[in-house]
Amino acid sequence: VLPLRTMLTFACQMLDRLEAVHSMGFVHRDLKPANFAVERGRDWNMLYLLDFGLAKEFRVPESQAHIPRTKVERLIGTPVFASTNALLGWEQSRRDDIQSLGYVVAYLLRGNLPWQHLTGQSQEERNRKIVAEKLHTNASELLVGHPEEFAILLEHGFKLDFEETPR
């Protein structure tokens, strides 16, 4: 659990890093606490976004049109932090990164997420349980006791359309 002041600083930087990735035409698709790092030493408060191994262009290079919303064969990313749409088998876009970032922030503020220890006889069963729990968990309830702006961030990810630019 991070102190509120630290979390406010980090959340702003997380959004800035994600906006930079999106401005280059990519979605990260695997936001999780382990993919953020803090520089040690003089700039200890500088946050970095890491691991672009699952990143994908969300614009068609030739036309710059947004990729279409399609079903995918399997989940890309980490189920605990993945968006509900990703867990339901949909192609990811910027909205999914925003929702995942909301879950990362909630985790860093709370120290846990309600679905993090769910199990299943297969990964698919576990993913179904996780998405069911996420769909039944209100952002305000998840972030109760914390500034409402954190819940607003997560709700924003839920409300965005597939091709919509986060604001």
Side-chain angles (χ1 to χ4, degrees), residues 23-85:
S23 74
M24 291 184 261
F26 287 87
V27 287
H28 190 279
R29 302 195 311 169
D30 195 24
L31 293 174
K32 57 187 174 185
N35 283 340
F36 288 96
V38 179
E39 183 173 340
R40 294 178 62 143
R42 187 171 57 95
D43 290 325
W44 65 268
N45 59 348
M46 178 62 70
L47 193 71
Y48 296 92
L49 178 56
L50 312 172
D51 192 358
F52 293 89
L54 298 177
K56 179 180 179 177
E57 287 183 296
F58 66 86
R59 297 211 182 276
V60 177
E62 299 80 27
S63 66
Q64 290 303 299
H66 200 287
I67 59 172
R69 183 176 182 262
T70 57
K71 281 290 212 175
V72 294
E73 291 182 28
R74 64 179 181 85
L75 172 69
I76 304 293
T78 305
V80 171
F81 300 101
S83 71
T84 52
N85 286 303

Side-chain angles (χ1 to χ4, degrees), residues 91-107:
E91 182 70 61
Q92 295 181 54
S93 69
R94 293 169 287 182
R95 70 173 179 188
D96 300 286
D97 276 352
I98 295 296
Q99 196 178 124
S100 291
L101 183 60
Y103 291 136
V104 169
V105 167
Y107 174 82

